[in-house]
Amino acid sequence: MLFPTFTFASFFLIVYCGHMLLRSRPLAWKIGILAASYVFYGWWNWRLCGLIVLSTVANWAFAKAIAERRGRARKNTVRLAVTANLSMLGFFKYHHFFVDSFNQLFGEAAQLPFVDVLLPVGISFYTFQAISYVVDVHRREITPAPLLDVAVYLAFFPQLVAGPIVRAKEFLPQLRGETGRGDAPTSNVVDVSEAAWLIGRGLFKKVVIATYLADSVVDPVFAAPNSAGRLELFQAMYAYAIQIYADFSGYTDIAIGIALLLGFRFPQNFDAPYRALSIQDFWRRWHITLSNWLRDYLYISLGGNRGGSLRTYRNLMLTMVLGGLWHGAAWTFVVWGAIHGGALAVERALTGRRPETTRASSTTDRNVNISTVLRWLVTFHVVCVAWVVFRAENFAQAGDFLTGLLTAPLTGSLNWLAVLVILAALGAQLIPRDVAAQVRQWSAEVDPLVQGAALGVWIVLVALLGPEGVAPFIYFQF
Amino acid sequence: MIRRQSIFSEDAPGSSSVRRVFGGLLVCFLVAGLLGSGRLVTMADRQEFGPARDRWLALAHGIDRVSSFFSLDRPADAVESALGRSSSSSTVVLGALAVLDPDVEPLSPTVPPSASPTAVAPSTETTEPTTTASSTTATSDPTTNTAASPTTQAPTTTTTAPPTTLAPTTTLPVFGQVSPAAPLRVWLGGDSLGEYVGSRIQHREADLGLTRIELDYRISTGLTRPDYFDWPARLSEVMQAEERPQVLVFMVGGNDTQDMQTEGSYLNRNTDEWYAEYRTRVATIMDVVAYPDTQLVWINLPPMKSSLHQEIAGRINSILGEEAARRPWVSVSDIVPLMSAPNGGFTEFLDEPSGDRTIRARAADGVHITADGSRWIAEAVWAYVEASWQFIDGPLAEGNAS
């Protein structure tokens, strides 16, 4: 079930009706939302629910065992839990990749058989959430939760298939109403204006912007990059940068908005990433929940920046390479991660251990000078070039594309509407936060019924401007 | 991590009660439904046939009637019209050479005289596998030879063993001449299965100086749901254009695992009645493009992962081959050998034809073809098209980057 569909709209109306009726009874609410989440997930393939149930029971049991043990036994149990989660992810997501790589490496000498494995939608997301749960219990940041709570945490439908990656310590307190903010699902208060803003914005980005750029510019050029002119290649590269941002951030905007309607506040996942002035800054703004996860559970576990420069570079590179592999079972994703890891290492080498200062200047908008522009240009183009590798189906295609950027004839016609969309999307990232906040504050004073009507008009407009079918969603493959 | 300050309290601006939000949601859906009732009907209409669709359709039509009564659908209609998305006419115009009536004898391969490449000659008997056959008129799925099944009622026994290559023979007669002054008008269309093939041909295989190419791919379409997208009507429109295409490369079927509805009857998929109706629709499309000096290359379906999909694909491929055999202007590019595992079934990974390496040729969904897999098909199809036309300035391939 995809968000921007008639089916999901109907589903959500029923779920919200149930939410309204059950919210004063926490147990019934949890059972109801769990059932709804399994229906949502099983809509793709009901057999996939078995895997998430298995993951739930296993991680609930692991967390209990970790909490009950001390010393070495405690450490070994969390290791076992993480290994079990990664093994499940590895088998279902990376089986073909590993077998194919092995067979390519050893040729005729040793050929492993391919097993027909179904790739469960969203497995990367809920596996990372499950790991955060057991590790947080191990770190004594949270206490083990009842089975039903763990089940709701892992299966909660707004974020189930494409994030954001919500950690147990962010979700479970809200589920139990322990935040003191009144934002538990049983609360009678909903931040409807922000939810409507997020859903409306997300629909536009996902359905209109991402689809238009993909259909009109990106897909045709990536299909045969070595026959495109240089202008077309540059346009396709920039267009893909906007497409993937609009696609993914649009979907998570909708997810966060829907969760908000149900009483949950999810962490922000994107923060104008293309205004970043360094790669480090970019990763503070792009897929924030993933980069925080990688930092807290992988980079720090590897030793972080403790242990000297070489170890720090190694840890940076390993983190980004594995982060790349998380995005997809192909060597192109590994190289994409390596490009980012390398860029982070270079930045660190150039700036030493001095605290990162670019972020402050990137967000104030008032200190724009030549140096700022240059840093933005370099950062943006490193990111864009890396996106080419990310988007390419193989290295040959990426090579053709990147070579063409330098050597292709300066021919080819530009799609001026696409140029306009790219520039508008980049310009939108420069809108100061307080302007957006002011608009939201203004809309907050409007009655929810009027906001509902406005969102209804907006949905019709998005539907009219969008494609006639349902566009696929890039991040489902991850 | 960046966390916004919470504004989530009873008296915070924007906070509302759940009941009021539910009211807002109802208003939202009501407004969206009334203003976009046309889209609502379309969306309901596009669902798979069954009781759920019937219920949604009844609801959507009800909303649409209310919307029309109050003229609330006019702004959306105006936007659709401004975007050039007005519902197209469903008129289907058959071409001059149409042979839709199954009782009519197949046309002589000599009509039109210039439109009968030898590789397209109707095949009426079972032949041995060959390693040099070109695009073929009749196909059979290697794993599901349903045409020969005693339980089926295939109207002919045409079953040609699949070729192992799509390379054309060297003795093809030509459909016509192509020159820079009179470039070849090529239309590439179908569902998402063929989209990469089309892009590949457009950007890589064809010499743009000698061709004028139009891409017309519509995702989620096929022949089972003309209520969703009507390919015969669309192709009629294409063929009625002032300068109609001379070559059409068409590929659909990946979405055709659905039941069909005809006037007065409901046809369950994978039944004899369903295949008979599908055959009629295939024949209609072939006849819509039936004009002198026009070539239709219909790319058939590769092996599918699910057994039901595979069975249907095999039968569809047989129908394509049989109907193409009756029409000299139609050839079927049989991609089954190219896309099959050694056992003849579905596989994601295939060896390059050159044997140099193994690539992922099919997507994990068991239906779609990757860019690499599409490249093979595009190369084979375009080589066949090149061999079917006489290029005054030499073959197109000479001008290609690769």
Side-chain angles (χ1 to χ4, degrees), chain A residues 305-317:
Chain A
N305 57 6
R306 303 184 303 271
S309 296
L310 280 179
R311 266 180 182 272
T312 303
Y313 296 144
R314 183 206 67 176
N315 294 341
L316 271 176
M317 187 57 90

Side-chain angles (χ1 to χ4, degrees), chain A residues 82-345:
Chain A
V82 172
T83 306
N85 277 297
L86 292 178
S87 300
M88 187 178 82
L89 183 62
F91 178 72
F92 283 98
K93 184 167 177 176
Y94 299 103
H95 162 77
H96 275 169
F97 172 70
F98 291 138
V99 171
D100 187 40
S101 299
F102 181 90
N103 290 349
Q104 295 276 358
L105 190 64
F106 293 100
E108 297 287 321
Q111 290 281 299
L112 294 175
F114 286 102
V115 178
D116 192 8
V117 178
L118 183 71
L119 176 61
V121 174
I123 189 171
S124 305
F125 289 93
Y126 70 71
T127 302
F128 268 31
Q129 293 201 162
I131 291 174
S132 86
Y133 171 58
V134 291
V135 173
D136 285 352
V137 169
H138 174 254
R139 291 176 177 173
R140 294 191 173 86
E141 293 181 10
I142 54 171
T143 53
L147 180 61
L148 185 57
D149 287 14
V150 177
V152 172
Y153 164 57
L154 290 183
F156 191 51
F157 72 87
Q159 100 282 9
L160 175 58
V161 295
I165 300 170
V166 185
R167 297 196 212 176
K169 64 184 177 190
E170 293 164 332
F171 186 90
L172 292 173
Q174 295 189 61
L175 184 63
R176 298 174 189 139
E178 292 171 355
T179 60
R181 297 193 311 216
D183 54 355
T186 49
S187 163
N188 189 32
V189 184
V190 176
D191 186 357
V192 67
S193 66
E194 187 170 4
W197 168 266
L198 285 165
I199 292 169
R201 185 178 74 177
L203 280 172
F204 185 76
K205 286 197 283 190
K206 166 83 190 84
V207 178
V208 181
I209 303 288
T211 313
Y212 172 70
L213 290 176
D215 289 347
S216 64
V217 177
V218 177
D219 292 348
V221 173
F222 270 91
N226 63 356
S227 61
R230 204 183 306 180
L231 291 177
E232 290 170 325
L233 289 167
F234 271 101
Q235 185 182 37
M237 180 177 74
Y238 298 138
Y240 184 65
I242 300 300
Q243 182 205 336
I244 192 167
Y245 167 69
D247 192 277
F248 188 24
S249 73
Y251 205 89
T252 51
D253 280 351
I254 301 170
I256 294 169
I258 287 168
L260 209 46
L261 289 177
L262 291 168
F264 287 83
R265 181 170 287 278
F266 283 176
Q268 190 177 6
N269 214 22
F270 290 87
D271 180 24
Y274 293 135
R275 61 191 288 181
L277 298 183
S278 67
I279 298 298
Q280 188 180 9
D281 189 20
F282 174 79
W283 279 102
R284 284 176 178 152
R285 296 162 172 276
W286 178 270
H287 203 169
I288 296 165
T289 57
L290 173 68
S291 50
N292 286 347
W293 194 100
L294 291 173
R295 181 195 64 201
D296 294 346
Y297 298 105
L298 184 57
Y299 178 69
I300 290 177
S301 299
L302 288 169
N305 57 6
R306 303 184 303 271
S309 296
L310 280 179
R311 266 180 182 272
T312 303
Y313 296 144
R314 183 206 67 176
N315 294 341
L316 271 176
M317 187 57 90
L318 267 176
T319 302
M320 296 313 294
V321 163
L322 291 172
L325 195 57
W326 177 88
H327 283 81
W331 285 105
T332 46
F333 294 109
V334 174
V335 171
W336 173 77
I339 292 171
H340 277 277
L344 284 169

Side-chain angles (χ1 to χ4, degrees), chain B residues 260-383:
Chain B
M260 283 194 268
Q261 239 175 5
T262 59
E263 276 186 35
S265 56
Y266 186 86
L267 308 174
N268 289 309
R269 64 185 177 184
N270 204 21
T271 59
D272 289 343
E273 296 75 24
W274 189 94
Y275 287 115
E277 175 62 22
Y278 200 88
R279 177 184 297 278
T280 303
R281 296 181 185 190
V282 166
T284 302
I285 286 186
M286 291 179 175
D287 284 346
V288 160
V289 302
Y291 289 90
D293 300 329
T294 299
Q295 179 186 30
L296 169 63
V297 180
W298 194 313
I299 303 169
N300 70 4
L301 294 170
M304 300 290 178
K305 197 172 185 176
S306 96
S307 54
L308 174 66
H309 209 157
Q310 169 70 348
E311 186 179 352
I312 292 174
R315 290 286 297 271
I316 288 176
N317 285 352
S318 295
I319 289 170
L320 291 179
E322 289 154 10
E323 291 305 316
R326 297 160 51 79
R327 296 167 175 83
W329 60 91
V330 182
S331 49
V332 175
S333 276
D334 184 7
I335 61 170
V336 173
L338 203 61
M339 293 279 122
S340 297
N343 67 1
F346 174 86
T347 179
E348 280 180 51
F349 296 91
L350 287 165
D351 290 335
E352 283 262 28
S354 60
D356 289 347
R357 63 188 183 120
T358 302
I359 59 149
R360 182 190 285 271
R362 303 292 299 279
D365 62 11
V367 177
H368 287 90
I369 303 168
T370 63
D372 273 335
S374 299
R375 175 168 52 84
W376 301 348
I377 298 170
E379 285 167 358
V381 167
W382 193 250

Side-chain angles (χ1 to χ4, degrees), chain A residues 6 96 104 116 181 183 188-192 194 224 226-227 292 393-394 447-448 452 463-464 466 468, chain B residues 1-2 4 7-8 10 14-18 20 28 39 43 46 56 85 196 203-204 305 348 358 371-372:
Chain A
F6 186 49
H96 275 169
Q104 295 276 358
D116 192 8
R181 297 193 311 216
D183 54 355
N188 189 32
V189 184
V190 176
D191 186 357
V192 67
E194 187 170 4
N226 63 356
S227 61
N292 286 347
E393 288 206 21
N394 49 47
D447 186 280
L464 291 172
E468 296 191 76
Chain B
M1 185 178 65
I2 297 161
R4 287 166 295 192
I7 55 167
F8 222 52
E10 288 278 358
S15 298
S16 306
S17 74
V18 171
R20 205 135 179 87
C28 171
R39 272 279 164 130
M43 286 164 75
R46 289 171 180 179
W56 283 121
R85 285 187 184 161
Y196 264 133
H203 284 92
R204 189 150 187 166
K305 197 172 185 176
E348 280 180 51
T358 302
D372 273 335

Side-chain angles (χ1 to χ4, degrees), chain B residues 223-236:
Chain B
L223 302 190
T224 51
R225 299 293 302 270
D227 53 317
Y228 174 45
F229 190 79
D230 190 343
W231 274 113
R234 172 63 191 146
L235 280 162
S236 290

